Amino acid sequence: MAVMPTDIEDAPGALRPHAEEAFAHELKALAAADDRPRPYGWNLSPWAVALYLLGGTLPGGGTVITPKYVGPRRIVEVAVTTLATDRALLLLGVPGTAKTWVSEHLAAAVSGDSTLLVQGTAGTPEEAIRYGWNYAELLTNGPSRRALVSSPVMRAMAEGRIARVEELTRIPADVQDSLITILSEKTLPIPELGAETQAVRGFNLIATANDRDRGVNELSSALRRRFNTVVLPLPASAEDEIDIVTRRVDQLGRGLDLPAVPEGADEIRRVVTVFRELRGGVTADGRTKVKSPSGTLSTAEAISVVTNGLALAAHFGDGVLRAGDIAAGILGAVVRDPAADRVIWQEYLETVVREREGWKDFYRACREASA
C-alpha cells in the first residue's frame, strides 16, 4: 500500500504536486547513483525504479529514499519488469489499494512525467484515447496535423513515455477496444490524414481497474491479453496499515496546517482496527465474528476519516485528535446502506466496542454520532 514521506519538496502554489515534482530530489539522487542498465528511453534502471517505490538508502550511505508503497517486493518488481517489455501493465485491486498512486510513481520514475493521463468514466469518448480535432482549424483549413489534437496516449507514443489510463473498466467497451491496435501494433492510425503515429521506444501504458467493478464494462479477451495484470492487495498487517495511514495523514495535515499526527496516534489505531475488523468479518483477537457492511472500508477511507477528524480538532477543538472527532467520519464510512449497514454498525458497537477495555470514550462518541 502507498505511503507518503515526512519531508517532500513543496511546489509553490500547488496543492498537490505531481510525483516527479514532489520527489524530484530523490529521483535526481537515484539517477546520479544508478549505474545499472536502463531500458531505452527510461530515466532510471528497473532496479532504481523499484528502489524508488519501495524505499531504502542509496549505496555508500547516500540519500534515503522514502517508501511510496508498502507491500510485497515481488509485486513491484513484476510491475516494473512488465513496463520494460512490450506488454502493458494493468493494476487491479479493491478501492483504496493505491493503484493510482503506484501508477503515478511508476510513470514519474520511468519517464519523468506522470501527467499523460486519461481518466476513465462512463462518458469517456474515443477521442480521449486516440485523438480529437480543433474544429475551428478543421473548418477553416480542413484536416491536417495542425488541426489534430493529440490525446495523452498519442503524446506518450510520440515521445516514448508512459501513458496512464485510470479506471479502465468504467470506460465503454467500444472505447476500451481502441487500445487494442495501440498495444498490439504499437501504432495509432489516422485515416483522415492517411497517416499514423508509431510508438517510440520507451512507450508503454499503465491502466488501473477496480475489481469491485466486474460486470460494469468487462475487458474483452483481446484487450486483456495485451496486459500483464498485477493485483495490489490490502495491507497485510494492522501495523502496516497504521503506518500507511499515519504517514499519509501527516503529509496531508502539514499541507493543510493541521495538528501533528503523533497527538492522535491512539485514534488512528482505533480507526484502523475498526476498519480491519469490519472488513475481515472477525475481531483482531479472532474470538468474535462480526458482520461486514456494504462499503469497502479501504485504507484510503481510513486516511480520509482521520484527516477530517484532525480538521475538526484543529478548528473546533483543542488541536488534539479525540474519539469525538473521528466518530462521525467512521459512521459515514461504515453506514452506506442506511438500513442494513446501520444494523451491522449498532451490533458491532454493542458486542465489540462496548466490551473493549479502554474504548469507553470511543463507544460513547460513536453512540452520540449514531443517535
Side-chain angles (χ1 to χ4, degrees):
M1 182 64 195
V3 296
M4 294 293 291
T6 56
D7 56 337
I8 67 173
E9 297 174 359
D10 296 322
L15 180 61
R16 200 265 197 198
H18 298 302
E20 60 270 21
E21 298 167 347
F23 299 89
H25 63 297
E26 293 188 8
L27 291 169
K28 183 178 179 180
L30 276 165
D34 185 15
D35 59 358
R36 304 198 181 196
R38 305 180 187 185
Y40 188 89
W42 282 40
N43 289 358
L44 301 172
S45 69
W47 170 84
V49 174
L51 178 59
Y52 171 72
L53 263 76
L54 294 167
T57 303
L58 292 179
T63 303
V64 174
I65 306 300
T66 55
K68 319 300 181 302
Y69 178 81
V70 174
R73 182 180 186 85
R74 180 56 64 176
I75 285 177
V76 172
E77 292 174 343
V78 171
V80 174
T81 302
T82 296
L83 294 177
T85 70
D86 64 346
R87 290 183 60 118
L89 173 64
L90 176 62
L91 298 176
L92 186 67
V94 299
T97 48
K99 300 181 295 296
T100 297
W101 183 248
V102 170
S103 76
E104 178 184 359
H105 281 282
L106 282 171
V110 170
S111 59
D113 186 357
S114 64
T115 65
L116 298 174
L117 171 69
V118 176
Q119 179 59 58
T121 68
T124 299
E126 187 174 292
E127 290 80 4
I129 291 176
R130 290 170 55 81
Y131 53 85
W133 296 97
N134 179 331
Y135 287 102
E137 179 70 27
L138 185 65
L139 292 173
T140 302
N141 299 310
S144 67
R145 281 282 185 177
R146 182 183 177 88
L148 188 144
V149 179
S150 299
S151 71
V153 176
M154 190 176 192
R155 285 181 53 200
M157 294 175 69
E159 299 170 8
R161 297 181 182 274
I162 300 293
R164 299 166 56 211
V165 179
E166 292 294 314
E167 303 292 352
L168 179 59
T169 51
R170 292 187 178 275
I171 298 175
D174 58 331
V175 179
Q176 289 178 12
D177 285 345
S178 64
L179 285 170
I180 293 177
T181 300
I182 294 172
L183 297 182
S184 60
E185 304 298 326
K186 300 299 186 289
T187 186
L188 177 53
I190 311 172
E192 297 90 342
L193 302 180
E196 65 181 9
T197 293
Q198 289 188 313
V200 174
R201 288 179 63 189
F203 164 74
N204 212 326
L205 185 139
I206 305 172
T208 66
N210 174 357
D211 64 5
R212 289 288 183 96
D213 286 342
R214 289 176 181 169
V216 177
N217 290 306
E218 286 280 6
L219 301 184
S220 66
S221 59
L223 181 56
R224 186 174 285 277
R225 286 198 305 270
R226 271 67 183 183
F227 285 99
N228 188 27
T229 301
V230 172
V231 179
L232 298 185
L234 289 163
S237 69
E239 293 306 317
D240 280 349
E241 192 161 4
I242 290 168
D243 180 52
I244 291 165
V245 173
T246 301
R247 288 174 181 266
R248 180 62 170 146
V249 169
D250 178 65
Q251 190 275 326
L252 289 171
R254 285 188 289 113
L256 299 171
D257 297 324
L258 298 178
V261 171
E263 298 293 334
D266 290 342
E267 302 310 325
I268 291 176
R269 182 171 291 276
R270 283 174 171 174
V271 172
V272 171
T273 299
V274 170
F275 274 35
R276 289 183 69 86
E277 289 181 338
L278 288 173
R279 198 165 64 209
V282 65
T283 54
D285 59 12
R287 296 178 181 177
T288 306
K289 291 186 176 181
V290 298
K291 296 177 182 177
S292 296
S294 59
T296 57
L297 298 181
S298 67
T299 307
E301 290 172 293
I303 291 167
S304 178
V305 168
V306 176
T307 302
N308 188 70
L310 278 175
L312 283 172
H315 300 300
F316 298 102
D318 60 3
V320 177
L321 186 65
R322 304 184 192 281
D325 300 316
I326 60 173
I330 287 183
L331 177 65
V334 174
V335 182
R336 299 296 177 84
D337 181 332
D341 290 346
R342 187 171 290 276
V343 172
I344 291 172
W345 176 237
Q346 292 293 344
E347 182 178 319
Y348 177 76
L349 280 180
E350 298 302 324
T351 60
V352 177
V353 176
R354 183 179 183 181
E355 305 301 324
R356 185 164 281 161
E357 185 177 352
W359 282 44
K360 295 299 182 184
D361 58 332
F362 181 78
Y363 171 74
R364 290 192 296 268
C366 289
R367 287 279 295 178
E368 290 175 7
S370 303

